[in-house]
Each structure stands twice: as C-alpha cells, then as structure tokens.
Amino acid sequence: MRGIADVVEFSEAEYESQFTTRLNNYQGLWKVTPVEYKRGKPKKDDRDTVQLCAQVICLEEMMKVKIEFGELYYAQTKHRQRIEIDEKLRIRVYSLAEKMHEMFREGITPPAEVGKHCSICSMVDLCQPRLTKKYRSVANYIRSAFLESEETE
Ligand code: SF4
C-alpha cells in the first residue's frame, strides 16, 4: 500500500517492544501515531477510520513497527478521536483495497457520490465528480459539456 499522512506523531517509549521503533538522527525508542485531519465533523459511516487504518498499515510496513491506535482530528468540533486499529478494521481495509485493485485491473471507475460533501473534499480535483456521477460515460460527459458550451456562445 501507499499513502500520504497529514501528521505522524512520535512519542518516546521506555521499553523496546513490537510497538516501538528507532528513528534516524534521534536517540531512543518511539511509538508511532498517525493523526488524520478532517475539515468537517465525525461521519456516520466508517470512511475516516478506514483511511486512518490504511495509513497505519503503510506506516507499519515502512517502519517495521506495530501501531495500536491512530487519531482523527475534526476541525468543526475541534476534537481528537482516538481510534483503535483492531483486527476487524484491518480486515475491512484489506478487503476494500482488494476490491479497489480489482476495479483498477478491470478499468472500472466507480460513479461519484456527488453531494455537499464534495465542496470540502480534498480529492475533488482528482475525482471530478461531475464527470463520473450516475455512471455517465466519458463520451456523454464530453457531449453534454460541448452542448453546454454551444448554448452559452
Ligand atoms: S469529490 Fe469525489 S471523492 Fe470527494 S466527496 Fe465528492 S464524490 Fe467523493
């Protein structure tokens, strides 16, 4: 897996264990905690915890360490939530990653779920939700964009 974390915190540990790692240019042993920053507030679904767990898995692979917890910070509520990265969550992330790779292999772009949430989504430029909504084909999108531009001329 590959990912970009907003913030990764290192806290000093007293004893060496599977939960500690060493850092270049710093003495001592360190525990690793990713902190994912969100502009909004906690969601009803598990998308934020899934993203956080994916970051944990990347960091574990990269730093050869085990991570028990991650944190989600919500700007709207100015609150941090501690999330346990348990086996159930890890299995969910692996299964979603497998589905994603399958879609990628088959060249399928899933339709965007366009909504208010898109305006605060950091992926909006990459996602282009108007392009993929309602299983609209690229050809149809280009056709309607062309018609729109003709109408405004
Ligand atoms: S921009 Fe795309 S990824 Fe972001 S919330 Fe909208 S549909 Fe989802």
Side-chain angles (χ1 to χ4, degrees), residues 98-126:
E98 185 48 47
K99 273 190 202 151
M100 188 190 72
H101 283 291
E102 210 175 289
M103 290 176 118
F104 184 76
R105 277 194 299 270
E106 289 172 12
I108 297 169
T109 304
E113 291 184 20
V114 191
K116 272 197 312 194
H117 48 273
C118 295
S119 62
I120 55 161
C121 176
S122 58
M123 300 296 289
V124 71
D125 288 339
L126 286 172

Side-chain angles (χ1 to χ4, degrees), residues 23 49 64 67 69-70 97 104 128 131 139 148:
L23 299 173
T49 50
K64 311 279 175 259
I67 300 172
F69 298 97
F104 184 76
Q128 297 289 320
L131 182 67
E148 273 171 31

Side-chain angles (χ1 to χ4, degrees), residues 4 18 44 53 72 77 91 98 127-128 140:
I4 300 173
Q18 60 178 331
K44 285 187 186 135
C53 180
L72 293 168
T77 55
I91 289 168
E98 185 48 47
C127 170
Q128 297 289 320
N140 278 344

Side-chain angles (χ1 to χ4, degrees), residues 17-133:
S17 74
Q18 60 178 331
F19 303 109
T20 60
T21 189
R22 292 183 189 277
L23 299 173
N24 289 342
N25 306 324
Y26 291 92
Q27 288 197 334
L29 297 159
W30 302 88
K31 285 191 170 189
V32 185
T33 310
V35 185
E36 176 63 21
Y37 278 61
K38 295 288 170 201
R39 288 187 228 173
K41 54 186 180 189
K43 324 279 186 316
K44 285 187 186 135
D45 58 40
D46 65 353
R47 75 186 92 155
D48 294 345
T49 50
V50 162
Q51 185 188 4
L52 185 69
C53 180
Q55 286 173 11
V56 162
I57 294 168
C58 290
L59 285 164
E60 286 180 337
E61 280 178 17
M62 202 173 104
M63 307 191 81
K64 311 279 175 259
V65 70
K66 185 110 176 109
I67 300 172
E68 288 178 289
F69 298 97
E71 302 210 341
L72 293 168
Y73 173 79
Y74 291 97
Q76 212 166 310
T77 55
K78 295 188 175 28
H79 214 79
R80 263 195 193 204
Q81 257 184 25
R82 194 166 215 230
I83 306 293
E84 187 188 352
I85 310 297
D86 60 15
E87 210 43 41
K88 198 173 149 201
L89 181 55
R90 286 169 189 270
I91 289 168
R92 172 138 171 82
V93 170
Y94 280 119
S95 119
L96 287 169
E98 185 48 47
K99 273 190 202 151
M100 188 190 72
H101 283 291
E102 210 175 289
M103 290 176 118
F104 184 76
R105 277 194 299 270
E106 289 172 12
I108 297 169
T109 304
E113 291 184 20
V114 191
K116 272 197 312 194
H117 48 273
C118 295
S119 62
I120 55 161
C121 176
S122 58
M123 300 296 289
V124 71
D125 288 339
L126 286 172
C127 170
Q128 297 289 320
R130 281 189 61 231
L131 182 67
T132 59
K133 73 176 175 182

